[in-house]
Amino acid sequence: MDFTAASADEGFRFTVQAEGQWRRIGRQLHHAPEAVAAAHVVDAFSEMAAACPIVTAKELQYRANARFGRRVDLPGDRLRINWATAQVYASPEDLHLAQDRIRLRARAQMDRELRQLQVVQALAYRDQLREDPTLILAQLLLDSPAAVTDQTIAMIPKIAARVGAYAPGAAWVQTAHLLDEWYGGLAPDAKQFVVDRLCTVAREFGGEKVAQRLKDAHRVGAHSSGPVEGTIHESSTGPPGNEPST
């Protein structure tokens, strides 16, 4: 008998040529036992074919014949299928179209993965720029040193502000830039006083590690690492230049 079965690829069907042997077991209950045997083969093959791409006709044939090589009893119809075999085919046109689909799907998957990688790289680069916008200048110097001009360098703070504006905790990013600009113009003794005061505040709220990192970052001298009480007493006189008269 000849029939077709749908493959796992939408729109493509296997062509099948099957034969087999059956016999009755007990009193005849069905008027068309041959049709019962044929329907069993078709249904069993269609179930397997639905999970197979059209390009796997030979593999499907082996699986089907391994299954049909065993005797099967259909007790409801008093029928026994001794054996069956199947020859499975796919047309050259279907194979060509299916292979084109496979290539297109592979290309689309590659494009999706490439876009995802670009997004991941962009996110990583954005996060790095939030921490250090001068990476833009470093990259330009590496990739296109001739493109680095005074105008390019002047744009970096604007880029940093734009990146920081959309960063999580953007207010603190902008605050850090403002403090950095203000701090950079202070005299050395005033800078020392600011760092001492920040360390004191950090310790008052349980930030010993933060205070230590501040000291390390600004290379604060050993005299500022004393007890909290001493620091508070020192800071109570106000910043340098505002000492009370004696």
Side-chain angles (χ1 to χ4, degrees), residues 101-132:
R101 284 189 184 180
I102 292 172
R103 283 191 289 268
L104 288 174
R105 283 197 295 265
R107 187 177 305 165
Q109 179 64 25
M110 186 181 301
D111 290 342
R112 284 194 296 271
E113 292 176 355
L114 179 59
R115 287 195 298 271
Q116 183 62 32
L117 177 61
Q118 290 172 338
V119 169
V120 171
Q121 290 175 334
L123 290 174
Y125 189 49
R126 180 203 62 188
D127 292 342
Q128 290 175 340
L129 289 180
R130 287 171 179 169
E131 297 178 4
D132 185 4

Side-chain angles (χ1 to χ4, degrees), residues 23-242:
R23 71 182 181 88
R24 297 185 184 91
I25 49 176
R27 184 169 58 87
Q28 180 176 345
L29 293 179
H30 203 286
H31 292 292
E34 184 176 351
V36 173
H40 172 79
V41 171
V42 170
D43 291 344
F45 184 89
S46 297
E47 180 182 355
M48 290 185 287
C52 297
I54 193 67
V55 295
T56 61
K58 286 300 180 184
E59 292 88 337
L60 176 59
Q61 178 175 301
Y62 294 138
R63 291 175 56 198
N65 288 331
R67 178 172 178 176
F68 295 150
R70 293 189 293 269
R71 185 179 66 187
V72 176
D73 289 341
L74 307 177
D77 295 305
R78 300 285 181 88
L79 198 69
R80 173 176 294 164
I81 300 175
N82 292 326
W83 58 267
T85 60
Q87 297 290 323
V88 185
Y89 305 95
S91 70
E93 294 81 5
D94 285 353
L95 289 176
H96 179 72
L97 288 173
Q99 288 166 351
D100 282 347
R101 284 189 184 180
I102 292 172
R103 283 191 289 268
L104 288 174
R105 283 197 295 265
R107 187 177 305 165
Q109 179 64 25
M110 186 181 301
D111 290 342
R112 284 194 296 271
E113 292 176 355
L114 179 59
R115 287 195 298 271
Q116 183 62 32
L117 177 61
Q118 290 172 338
V119 169
V120 171
Q121 290 175 334
L123 290 174
Y125 189 49
R126 180 203 62 188
D127 292 342
Q128 290 175 340
L129 289 180
R130 287 171 179 169
E131 297 178 4
D132 185 4
T134 59
L135 287 173
I136 300 173
L137 179 59
Q139 185 175 9
L140 284 173
L141 288 170
L142 287 173
D143 297 341
S144 305
V148 179
T149 63
D150 292 340
Q151 184 179 5
T152 305
I153 296 174
M155 288 179 61
I156 291 179
K158 297 180 181 179
I159 296 174
R162 177 68 64 177
V163 173
Y166 293 95
W172 281 107
V173 174
Q174 296 174 17
T175 301
H177 286 302
L178 290 172
L179 290 175
D180 183 63
E181 292 176 3
W182 167 72
Y183 182 84
L186 296 177
D189 58 341
K191 289 181 178 180
Q192 180 71 57
F193 176 84
V194 169
V195 174
D196 285 345
R197 176 60 65 86
L198 288 174
C199 290
T200 298
V201 172
R203 292 191 189 99
E204 288 176 351
F205 290 93
E208 290 291 340
K209 292 183 179 180
V210 173
Q212 186 60 49
R213 290 181 65 180
L214 282 171
K215 289 165 55 180
D216 293 342
H218 294 277
R219 294 182 174 83
V220 177
H223 67 276
S224 65
S225 59
V228 173
E229 293 80 8
T231 306
I232 294 175
H233 176 74
E234 178 183 355
S235 62
S236 65
T237 63
N242 294 313

